[in-house]
Amino acid sequence: MTGTPEAPGTPAAHAPLPTVVPAAGMPARVRIHEVGPRDGLQNEQTVVPVADKAEFVRRLAAAGLGTVEATSFVHPRWVPQLADAAELYELLAADPALRGVDLPVLVPNDRGLDRALELGARHVAVFASATESFARANLNRTVEESLAMFEPVAERAVAADARVRGYVSMCFGDPWEGAVPVEQVVRVCRALRDMGCAEISLGDTIGVATPGQVEALLAGLGAAGIGPDVLAVHFHDTYGQALSNTLTALRNGVTTVDASAGGLGGCPYARSATGNLATEDLLWMLRGLGIETGVDLDRLAATSGWMATRLGRPSPSRTVRALSVPSHKEP
Ligand code: HMG
Ligand code: MG
């Protein structure tokens, strides 16, 4: 601290941290699946240079994130922001600082899986849709055709000892179709589990979900034998509901949460999608609840601030903005 000594009676300087008060029915630990470099950067106007992307992943890992979704092996015409997937993955795989860090990548088909496995990826994700409209927009396929495309991908990945995650988009609402019935989501989750996906991430692609829906979907999945131990939640924050929805998922047994550093994100094939739940906002809540994550909030917020300068716009995360106010740092 600098400046003149404080007058008697002035409250002591304190770092901005939430007061820890645990709540009943919460897990002791949450695993954060960081998606900033993939879900975040895939939707930015600015194409970030590959060296900066590699540095972003390094800083995220150094902040304590053990899982950092790095990129997507998709057609570069579909997602030009991630056209450097191979170059980036090579840089990451060769970096001793990232040894032991889980670096999942998205692969929609055999071609994507071949590229990922050649570069040594050990964790891949296929990405299905609960709705026909989004399957068509995102994958140029019907739901059935896309599941048929993923089946050999999952099978070959498992045979190669790679872990497979299955995303399901539009679990809570779809911009073309409106409400999405729980049974429709359960059916796609079941198909992904049957083909070998170790974990299913439930996507609120356009951020419309509310907590009652989250509870209803988790109950529907539980009744179909898909329990919270194999589920992750993936909330976009379009309507400011991502944190409430996450809290509801935690109360219902889920312990893996997808989030994006600084709240970057969206989906290029769903116009109404905005950024993901910001990892810093999630951390603030988890820290207040006394839930372990292994992530250093200050280092993470500094990383998001650094990326925001590269993107030329402030971070949408409330926590990143609050922590960056100088008076908070030095009362
Ligand atoms: P298509 O046009 O039907 O592909 O696209 P195709 O199989 O007919 O092949 C056409 C051309 O693409 C061929 O090349 C293939 O070789 C090539 P050409 O002969 O024309 O030169 N090709 C590829 N090239 C590179 N890598 C590949 C690949 N596959 C084919 N893997 C395809 C089908 C699946 C490829 C396309 O639809 C695609 O790439 N889609 C990706 C869309 C995407 O990445 N969306 C964002 C991620 S999903 C998301 O953000 C949601 C999530 O966050 C959860 C949530 O929020 O809900 C996960
Ligand atoms: Mg997403």
Side-chain angles (χ1 to χ4, degrees):
M1 248 190 72
T2 55
T4 50
E6 284 163 21
T10 306
H14 61 277
L17 287 174
T19 302
V20 178
V21 182
M26 288 290 159
R29 193 175 173 88
V30 159
R31 189 174 71 82
I32 299 179
H33 183 110
E34 169 61 44
V35 296
R38 194 281 303 171
D39 210 347
L41 297 185
Q42 80 178 5
N43 205 38
E44 289 295 330
Q45 299 289 329
T46 312
V47 179
V48 175
V50 69
D52 287 349
K53 288 180 179 171
E55 182 59 22
F56 188 35
V57 174
R58 265 181 227 118
R59 291 184 187 212
L60 293 170
L65 288 156
T67 303
V68 183
E69 196 165 279
T71 188
S72 298
F73 288 93
V74 296
H75 196 297
R77 237 188 351 251
W78 284 69
V79 186
Q81 292 91 335
L82 304 184
D84 57 8
E87 204 185 334
L88 174 63
Y89 201 87
E90 266 173 324
L91 286 174
L92 302 179
D95 190 334
L98 292 173
R99 219 154 277 154
V101 178
D102 181 17
L103 299 170
V105 293
L106 262 56
V107 293
N109 54 15
D110 276 322
R111 172 84 194 278
L113 181 69
D114 290 342
R115 294 169 66 205
L117 291 180
E118 265 165 38
L119 294 166
R122 310 300 315 139
H123 189 171
V124 298
V126 293
F127 44 105
S129 169
T131 65
E132 291 298 338
S133 306
F134 188 64
R136 177 63 62 197
N138 199 42
L139 294 159
N140 198 23
R141 304 277 186 285
T142 63
V143 170
E144 279 319 311
E145 286 164 352
S146 41
L147 292 172
M149 174 168 77
F150 300 145
E151 206 167 329
V153 175
E155 205 170 287
R156 288 177 51 224
V158 170
D161 262 339
R163 181 177 165 84
V164 187
R165 160 178 258 229
Y167 277 104
V168 182
S169 287
M170 304 298 175
C171 289
F172 303 95
D174 173 283
W176 299 278
E177 299 178 22
V180 179
V182 163
E183 313 77 67
Q184 207 167 303
V185 183
V186 171
R187 196 180 64 76
V188 175
C189 292
R190 183 77 267 157
L192 291 172
R193 282 289 288 159
D194 289 347
M195 68 176 76
C197 292
E199 179 174 85
I200 306 292
S201 175
L202 304 171
D204 182 16
T205 320
I206 54 169
V208 291
T210 49
Q213 269 188 296
V214 175
E215 225 165 74
L217 179 56
L218 292 174
L221 286 164
I226 305 175
D229 52 318
V230 298
L231 293 172
V233 286
H234 180 105
F235 294 116
H236 286 260
D237 204 23
T238 321
Y239 293 92
Q241 304 298 303
L243 210 45
S244 329
N245 291 332
T246 301
L247 186 63
T248 304
L250 297 181
R251 283 197 201 283
N252 284 274
V254 172
T255 57
T256 300
V257 178
D258 297 2
S260 167
L264 299 172
C267 177
Y269 293 100
R271 290 237 165 274
S272 39
T274 64
N276 293 77
L277 167 63
T279 314
E280 291 85 352
D281 297 4
L282 172 65
L283 277 175
W284 185 274
M285 181 182 78
L286 295 180
R287 196 162 177 164
L289 286 165
I291 296 174
E292 279 297 317
T293 61
V295 184
D296 181 322
L297 175 59
D298 286 335
R299 279 185 92 162
L300 184 62
T303 296
S304 294
W306 169 82
M307 181 46 78
T309 58
R310 256 134 203 87
L311 294 170
R313 64 180 181 88
S315 161
S317 157
R318 306 281 280 262
T319 302
V320 170
R321 277 182 288 165
L323 290 175
S324 70
V325 175
S327 61
H328 276 198
K329 285 200 163 142
E330 214 169 88

